[in-house]
């Protein structure tokens, strides 16, 4: 029962460095999401993918790119990290139906210095 | 603008002391309201989905209710293991955020033995 798996769990970057956050789900879900969570703020949607081969911007997409590699995997890339991108990043997936609940991974804690 | 406000921000209870958490929302047509539990260092865990005013759902010591403007999460005789942050999210039927979840900032519940 792995559910949604995120790697790495922790990462420290210097300003300007790049990295890719990995996410994989084993629930055969079509939809996948990337959120960021900051102190004192609610979870905010960065990008989502309604199905394999499609991606769409969420509320806060600037500075990020995504790739839906296949049905299982959805990656988030920071091309040139900035201190404002210090956050906890959560990947989620959801099953069929327009209002299926999201299943979250345990997050990647990213610090940009 | 679609919005979710949770209150209080933090709540401290003694074991066995029942209380309620509030989630007020404004949304362009409610498609669903979701409650999640989040433990420190973990991703949110799905609890309930409510779809229409008057609906109620229960799970162990938790009961969620929904009106046209707000939802309550009632906690009856809480135990220390109920300590967590409880997140509320709404899904809009119409508008720019259609289909995506809008999260509140959460209520951090602490239950002391």
């Amino acid at each position: 029962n792995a559910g949604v798996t995120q790697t790495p769990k922790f990462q420290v970057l210097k300003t300007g460095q790049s990295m890719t956050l990995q996410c994989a789900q084993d629930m055969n879900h079509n939809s996948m999401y990337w959120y960021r969570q900051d102190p004192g703020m609610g979870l905010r949607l960065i990008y989502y993918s309604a199905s394999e081969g499609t991606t769409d911007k969420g509320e806060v997409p600037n500075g990020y790119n995504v790739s839906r590699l296949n049905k299982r995997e959805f990656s988030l890339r920071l091309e040139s990290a900035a201190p404002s991108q210090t956050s906890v990043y959560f990947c989620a997936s959801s099953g069929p139906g327009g209002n299926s609940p999201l299943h979250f991974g345990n997050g990647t804690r990213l610090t940009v210095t | 603008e679609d919005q979710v406000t949770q209150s209080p921000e933090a709540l401290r209870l003694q074991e066995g002391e029942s209380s309620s958490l509030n989630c007020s929302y404004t949304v362009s047509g409610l498609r669903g309201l979701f409650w999640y539990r989040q433990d420190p260092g973990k991703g949110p865990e799905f609890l309930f989905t409510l779809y229409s005013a008057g609906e109620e759902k229960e799970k162990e010591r938790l009961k969620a209710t929904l009106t046209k403007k707000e939802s309550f999460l009632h906690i009856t005789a809480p135990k220390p293991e109920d300590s967590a942050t409880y997140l509320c999210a709404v899904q809009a039927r119409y508008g720019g955020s259609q289909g995506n979840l809008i999260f509140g900032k959460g209520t951090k519940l602490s239950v002391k033995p």
Side-chain angles (χ1 to χ4, degrees), chain B residues 54-71:
Chain B
E55 189 174 2
E56 299 181 351
K57 289 196 176 172
E58 290 187 67
K59 180 180 180 179
E60 296 181 355
R61 295 175 294 282
L62 300 177
K63 179 180 177 181
T65 62
L66 181 65
T67 72
K68 289 187 177 180
K69 293 183 177 180
E70 57 192 3
S71 176

Side-chain angles (χ1 to χ4, degrees), chain A residues 7 14 17 35 37-38 90 94:
Chain A
T7 56
K14 293 184 178 180
Q17 288 184 320
Y35 284 87
Q37 187 174 42
D38 301 293
F90 288 100
S94 65

Side-chain angles (χ1 to χ4, degrees), chain B residues 70-84:
Chain B
E70 57 192 3
S71 176
F72 292 94
L73 186 64
H74 306 279
I75 304 175
T76 302
K79 298 183 178 181
E81 53 262 42
D82 294 322
S83 297

Side-chain angles (χ1 to χ4, degrees), chain B residues 26-39:
Chain B
T26 55
V27 66
S28 305
L30 181 67
R31 195 171 189 180
L33 184 141
F34 301 77
W35 281 99
Y36 288 84
R37 168 191 172 128
Q38 186 174 22
D39 293 299

Side-chain angles (χ1 to χ4, degrees), chain A residues 35 37 40-43 45 48 90 98-99 101-102 104-106 109, chain B residues 31 34 36 38 41-44 46 51 87 91 100-101 103-105:
Chain A
Y35 284 87
Q37 187 174 42
M41 302 189 74
L43 284 156
L45 182 64
Y48 65 100
F90 288 100
N99 46 19
L102 300 183
F104 286 86
N106 282 329
R109 283 144 189 83
Chain B
R31 195 171 189 180
F34 301 77
Y36 288 84
Q38 186 174 22
K42 302 289 187 181
F46 170 70
Y51 298 103
L87 304 176
Q91 187 180 36
N100 294 323
L101 293 190
F103 283 85
K105 297 178 182 179

Side-chain angles (χ1 to χ4, degrees), chain A residues 22-41:
Chain A
Q22 306 286 354
C23 174
Q25 53 93 7
D26 63 1
M27 295 173 282
N28 201 35
H29 286 167
N30 284 326
S31 300
M32 297 186 73
Y33 310 80
W34 277 104
Y35 284 87
R36 61 179 288 174
Q37 187 174 42
D38 301 293
M41 302 189 74

Side-chain angles (χ1 to χ4, degrees), chain A residues 46-110:
Chain A
I46 304 171
Y47 271 94
Y48 65 100
S49 171
S51 61
E52 187 178 352
T54 68
T55 60
D56 286 287
K57 295 178 180 179
E59 180 185 357
V60 288
N62 291 345
Y64 306 95
N65 286 300
V66 290
S67 296
R68 182 75 183 265
L69 304 171
N70 47 56
K71 191 171 185 177
R72 290 186 65 248
E73 298 173 287
F74 189 37
S75 63
L76 179 71
R77 182 160 178 85
L78 286 70
E79 290 290 352
S80 179
S84 60
Q85 294 178 305
T86 294
S87 188
V88 181
Y89 291 86
F90 288 100
C91 177
S93 68
S94 65
N99 46 19
S100 296
L102 300 183
H103 299 264
F104 286 86
N106 282 329
T108 294
R109 283 144 189 83
L110 175 66

